Amino acid sequence: MANNSPFPPMDDLAVFLAVRRAGGFRVAARWLHLSPSTVSETVSRLEAGLGVPLFTRTTRSVQLTEAGRALAERIEPVMSEARAALDEAASSKGQVRGRIKLNVPGAVMVDILPPLLDGFLARHPDVQAEIMVDDRLVDITAVGCDAGIRYDEHLAQDMIAVPIGPRTQWAALAAAPGYLERRGTPRHPRDLMDHDCIRARFASGALSEWEFERDGEVLIVDPPARIVMASGGAAAMIDLAIAGHGMVHTFRNWLEPHMQSGALVPVLADWWQEFDGPKLYFSSRFMPTVLRAFIDFIAEKRGQA
């Protein structure tokens, strides 16, 4: 049936937003399970109907025009609210239905988020979940997510944050016994400048800082890196430390099983820094039914802990 409305179909707007989030037609097509040509034709039809270009296309990139950026900023919240309303309608008989999409750092994908998702999806079999793993701080609304998880980043005033996982965590330092026998055991964080270190690099390009604290004194050390690995490679970093290639500085709960087995030895334990655990954050303007159910589930699990 022809669309005689002066307004573009909601499906066309959804495709436009997908291209904006993906930064290209091919990636958006994969997300939407459509052909790239269909996505391109949909955007062209939308541009023709509006009478303005929404994207500047080159052989290397797809960028929003000013008109496209203004349109995206206005309709993104509306589309999110529309999806929330549809989810709520589908869940009106008391059975939670719909999709939840989260933007999270790799750190919570080891032992915090997976067990929560397991229990939540088992309780609500009609819920679908999509997890975007990204260590950068992004606009969760702009990337089409219902909520995000982050550690201690500054959040906008219209965001609500609730604890998810442990309330406190520790950054720990460890090395293999054989490494310490060869190179000696550091007595102060500054001694790390004379050691081989295994460090993580964030997607932004920055190396993770090694921060230590004792009796109110905070030290940030930038030790030499013998091995640098993407921030998602924590398991491999720990394996390399166990093999004796250097010091590793990461979450204490990731290192504890290896320290208990003797494969790693704690180093500078009196300098290990304590920090707040991760938080789930989301917009205060609207809350999809599935997200509300997930928040209730988290609160229930925290009450049982």
Side-chain angles (χ1 to χ4, degrees):
M1 178 182 293
N3 176 36
N4 296 319
S5 168
F7 302 105
M10 293 289 282
D11 285 349
D12 288 5
L13 294 173
V15 170
F16 159 68
L17 290 176
V19 175
R20 180 244 186 149
R21 295 170 196 146
F25 291 90
R26 290 189 177 278
V27 176
R30 287 201 301 271
W31 289 358
L32 298 169
H33 303 290
L34 298 172
S35 69
S37 60
T38 298
V39 171
S40 179
E41 290 167 5
T42 300
V43 172
S44 295
R45 180 172 63 245
L46 181 59
E47 291 175 322
L50 295 174
V52 293
L54 300 175
F55 293 102
T56 300
R57 303 161 174 83
T58 69
T59 56
R60 293 187 176 182
S61 67
V62 175
Q63 300 290 334
L64 283 171
T65 62
E66 286 301 317
R69 186 173 295 105
L71 177 64
E73 290 175 355
R74 293 292 296 274
I75 67 171
E76 183 77 64
V78 176
M79 295 290 284
S80 296
E81 289 202 43
R83 184 164 64 81
L86 291 171
D87 287 347
E88 190 165 340
S91 304
S92 59
K93 292 185 178 181
Q95 188 169 3
V96 179
R97 300 173 181 268
R99 182 198 69 163
I100 184 169
K101 186 174 181 180
L102 304 176
N103 181 279
V104 309
V108 303
M109 293 303 296
V110 177
D111 53 8
I112 294 177
L113 186 57
L116 285 172
L117 273 180
D118 176 41
F120 180 67
L121 295 176
R123 178 175 296 183
H124 302 292
D126 292 322
V127 168
Q128 301 85 44
E130 181 177 349
I131 311 300
M132 292 179 61
V133 181
D134 191 342
D135 287 307
R136 297 169 299 177
L137 184 60
V138 301
D139 182 338
I140 55 172
T141 302
V143 296
C145 290
D146 301 298
I149 300 176
R150 286 294 180 273
Y151 283 90
D152 269 349
E153 279 91 354
H154 175 72
L155 302 178
Q157 290 184 350
D158 64 345
M159 291 290 171
I160 299 172
V162 297
I164 182 171
R167 287 193 178 274
T168 58
Q169 291 185 271
W170 285 262
L173 181 70
Y179 174 86
L180 295 175
E181 289 173 7
R182 295 193 315 271
R183 302 291 300 275
T185 300
R187 302 301 178 189
H188 190 278
R190 286 190 291 267
D191 296 340
L192 294 172
M193 300 304 293
D194 297 322
H195 281 268
D196 293 335
C197 298
I198 303 169
R199 300 185 63 182
R201 190 182 297 280
F202 294 117
S204 65
L207 286 172
S208 62
E209 293 182 335
W210 286 20
E211 192 165 337
F212 300 90
E213 183 174 3
R214 186 178 68 178
D215 300 332
E217 180 184 5
V218 177
L219 290 176
I220 297 176
V221 181
D222 185 22
R226 185 179 185 199
I227 299 172
V228 176
M229 193 167 294
S231 57
M237 293 170 63
I238 293 171
D239 287 343
L240 288 165
I242 291 172
H245 293 290
M247 301 274 182
V248 65
H249 183 262
T250 189
F251 292 92
R252 187 184 74 176
N253 50 301
W254 296 357
L255 296 174
E256 277 179 338
H258 308 291
M259 293 189 292
Q260 291 171 1
S261 72
L264 290 174
V265 176
V267 177
L268 296 174
D270 56 337
W271 282 92
W272 290 357
Q273 187 180 52
E274 180 181 353
F275 54 92
D276 290 340
K279 292 181 174 61
L280 178 81
Y281 69 99
F282 48 91
S283 172
S284 61
R285 289 175 295 176
F286 54 85
M287 186 184 296
T289 301
V290 181
L291 177 59
R292 185 182 300 116
F294 185 55
I295 293 168
D296 290 344
F297 180 79
I298 292 169
E300 175 189 324
K301 292 302 177 185
R302 293 192 66 82
Q304 295 173 358

